[in-house]
Amino acid sequence: MPAIGFQPHDHSACVDGALSKAQAHCAALGLRMTPVRRRTLEILLAEHRALGAYDILGVLSEEGLGAQPPVAYRALDFLVKAGFAHKVEALNAYIACAHLGADHTPAFLICRACKSVAEADTAPAKGRLDDAARAAGFVIERTVVEAEGLCPDCQTDTKAEGTKAKGTTP
Amino acid sequence: MPAIGFQPHDHSACVDGALSKAQAHCAALGLRMTPVRRRTLEILLAEHRALGAYDILGVLSEEGLGAQPPVAYRALDFLVKAGFAHKVEALNAYIACAHLGADHTPAFLICRACKSVAEADTAPAKGRLDDAARAAGFVIERTVVEAEGLCPDCQTDTKAEGTKAKGTTP
DNA sequence: CCAGTTATGTTATAGTATTACGCTTGCTAC
DNA sequence: GTAGCAAGCGTAATACTATAACATAACTGG
Ligand SMILES: [Zn+2]
Ligand SMILES: [Zn+2]
Ligand SMILES: [Zn+2]
Ligand SMILES: [Zn+2]
């Protein structure tokens, strides 16, 4: 499964699966899936797009779950550390993990037109980078692999001039 | 030359070479290497570290070359577009290109202890990522490959607990 | 010189993230 | 049970990163 996010798929199964896997993972490791954290994960899972911390905060505060930035950042930190979400560095935004449960190093394909983000696996790319790092005597702890460009849908749309919306909240 | 930045080297030759290559490149393409832009490049070249836009701005303003954020951001944009510098997304910071003149997609090795950054070549990793993207029907326009970890020097320093300084401004 | 373009100066504002501190909640040890 | 502790949350304040908008100045080609 190379890149979840662009292909049409059963998204509610996608969401339900991720939520139950996250729940199980928390139970197994003694992590606490609190209301704010669960809701934050749900918000991220709703779309295969990266959301800013303040987008999350907006929703949380509408729902009475917290009104200040640290609420969102703390929940996001938890989700990222637990492996339920990733930070997309090129966007300063966050996205739910699409391969939840697999221990992996993500690679993102980011569409600059519709803002959707697909998560691929980097195993191949990472091997080569590891080689280069080893040669330099560098020990890698975390890798960021992100590619910006145009997704299949947006390549045909009049050369991707404007802003196109996709997903569950158009 | 896999990763310039960690190995000891003749750094003033490194700086001079980059400056003259940049100058030549501007002459060839009709780009304008203005005082602010040249000085910004010099500041970045002084260290194999990423500097924030406001670090740059601080130096520029001390020298009477501009006091407001857009001054630094415009100079950095120029340098990045011209290929003389790169943005390190994981740090929201900027670094002079270590392979100036080569048309390349950079990969960065970022030391979390001493903050030095080495620039390696991604050609191998990029090929694999291209394959994955093609399979998904995605067209890549720009790639970001960054690895955080510990550089050779910092691996031995008591497990890299504190803040260590390195480079020309210790 | 003149018009067009590119660069700079400056103000204001938007967007992203963290520090700090006090309160509450849930767990464990007694 | 309840005292003590650790983790999580509420809130205010602040730091850091980046851009929009508009006026002025400098360079370019005719
Ligand atoms: Zn889905
Ligand atoms: Zn798209
Ligand atoms: Zn050097
Ligand atoms: Zn480079």
Side-chain angles (χ1 to χ4, degrees), chain B residues 31 41 47 51 58 60 66 74 77 92 96 105 123 134 151 157:
Chain B
L31 302 174
L41 180 55
E47 313 176 41
L51 298 176
L60 291 178
R74 287 195 283 233
D77 285 350
N92 290 320
T105 304
R134 200 167 14 252
C151 75
D157 295 1

Side-chain angles (χ1 to χ4, degrees), chain A residues 4-5 9-12 14-15 45 47-48:
Chain A
I4 296 175
H9 60 285
D10 180 349
H11 187 58
S12 63
C14 184
V15 171
L45 281 167
E47 311 177 42
H48 290 285

Side-chain angles (χ1 to χ4, degrees), chain B residues 86 97-99 104 106 119:
Chain B
H86 303 291
C97 178
H99 301 114
H104 64 292
E119 182 178 345

Side-chain angles (χ1 to χ4, degrees), chain B residues 83-144:
Chain B
F84 303 156
H86 303 291
K87 179 169 186 187
V88 182
E89 297 288 352
L91 302 175
N92 290 320
Y94 303 81
I95 189 165
C97 178
H99 301 114
L100 219 158
D103 179 24
H104 64 292
T105 304
F108 298 111
L109 302 177
I110 305 162
C111 179
R112 68 169 162 81
C114 70
K115 307 298 180 195
S116 63
V117 176
E119 182 178 345
D121 195 8
T122 44
K126 189 170 178 303
R128 297 310 199 119
L129 187 58
D130 280 343
D131 293 346
R134 200 167 14 252
F138 188 90
V139 176
I140 295 179
E141 293 169 347
R142 180 176 86 106
T143 66
V144 174

Side-chain angles (χ1 to χ4, degrees), chain B residues 38-82:
Chain B
R38 188 199 329 279
R39 186 69 189 115
T40 301
L41 180 55
E42 287 171 2
I43 294 165
L44 289 175
L45 281 167
E47 313 176 41
H48 290 284
R49 276 178 51 216
L51 298 176
Y54 283 71
D55 295 332
I56 302 288
L57 181 59
V59 177
L60 291 178
S61 85
E62 278 177 9
E63 298 176 357
L65 284 170
Q68 284 69 32
V71 173
Y73 281 102
R74 287 195 283 233
L76 289 167
D77 285 350
F78 169 84
L79 296 174
V80 168
K81 285 205 183 102

